[in-house]
Amino acid sequence: MMTDMATERSRSTVEEEVERVVEQSKELHEAAASLISKASKEAQILRLRALSVDTSILKLRSSIDSLLSHRRLDPKLADKLEDELNRARCILDDGEASSFLPGKAQGRFLKMFIGPIDVRATRKDVQLKVKQEYNRFRDRTAFLFLLFPSALLVLRSWIWNRCLPAFPVQLYQAWLLFLYTGLALRENILRVNGSDIRSWWIYHHYCAMAMALVSLTWEIKGQPNCVEKQRGVELFLQWAMMQGVAMLLQNRYQRQRLYTRIALGKAKRMDVVWGETAGVDGQLWLLCPILFVLQGFEAYVGLLLLQTAFVGVVSEWQVIFCGILLILMAVGNFENTVQTLVAKSRFKAKMKKSKSKQEFD
């Protein structure tokens, strides 16, 4: 009898506990739903306010330019007002309010890989972690970009009797496909989160992905005439070594330059390097010749591949495709580098003119 009563009491206690847990779950669900609804409404209000401030900055800049063009505003006052607007823009873009500004639409590339998922971070610290991971990825791959082709060329001379076997080269091309896909994904995510990265560099990585994918199917022929048939592969590996050195220099110099621009209020923390020439003056004297030589050598490798295809040494369609892509990428890189240098030169001329006016006054 006592055992039955104890069992009944235990069962009743368990039922009560279950009911209590269910009620707590319902209350927690309602509280969470209320909080989310409230946060959503407040976020919408902040989104409208951020859009209003952003529109006001654009209108004020347009008004200042219009007054200057009609000589209705003192240039000194205009410069001061521009500085204040730049400060407001940096506060808006570089602070927590940036997540409430309208973001760039996700491209087809991101949707193809991850689907219609919003990758925009709502918190600034998360956005900065995305950028830091991008920088770390570039640093790691720069060393591998230099090490991988160097090892292949050394082994080619020492062990493989100047005739590369197919597997190591295809392994390298597979790594290139992974590298450029990773860079393109990270750069698309950075753009969605407010980075100013130029579109060309993303398109350049699309072309490089296509070339790496096609070259995986490229038959690396051996003897006879192995050296002649693999001349394009040898030159491509030499170009990759030069690219690795340039990437190491770029990563160091451009990051230093970006830190300076952020400190001066001329760039946002989410920005990345402006093309390949965002260095300071002394660094540009070192980087520019390297970059132009690289671009010329890239075009030369592309022309050599086309030549080997048309004279019948290696006539596969992959050779023609890779040759055309290399030439297109070299031309695009050269054009973008020149545009960056011209923009930098104009900016420096504008700054010198403004400084000389202030000294004259």
Side-chain angles (χ1 to χ4, degrees), residues 147-159:
L147 181 62
F148 223 141
S150 303
L152 287 175
L153 289 174
V154 169
L155 292 173
R156 173 181 176 269
S157 299
W158 289 2
I159 298 177

Side-chain angles (χ1 to χ4, degrees), residues 153-188:
L153 289 174
V154 169
L155 292 173
R156 173 181 176 269
S157 299
W158 289 2
I159 298 177
W160 293 323
N161 194 25
R162 302 188 67 190
C163 188
L164 288 164
F167 179 72
V169 177
Q170 290 175 340
L171 183 64
Y172 175 60
Q173 297 293 352
W175 178 80
L176 285 180
L177 179 60
F178 162 77
L179 164 66
Y180 288 121
T181 304
L183 284 172
L185 281 170
R186 285 168 169 81
E187 287 163 354
N188 274 280

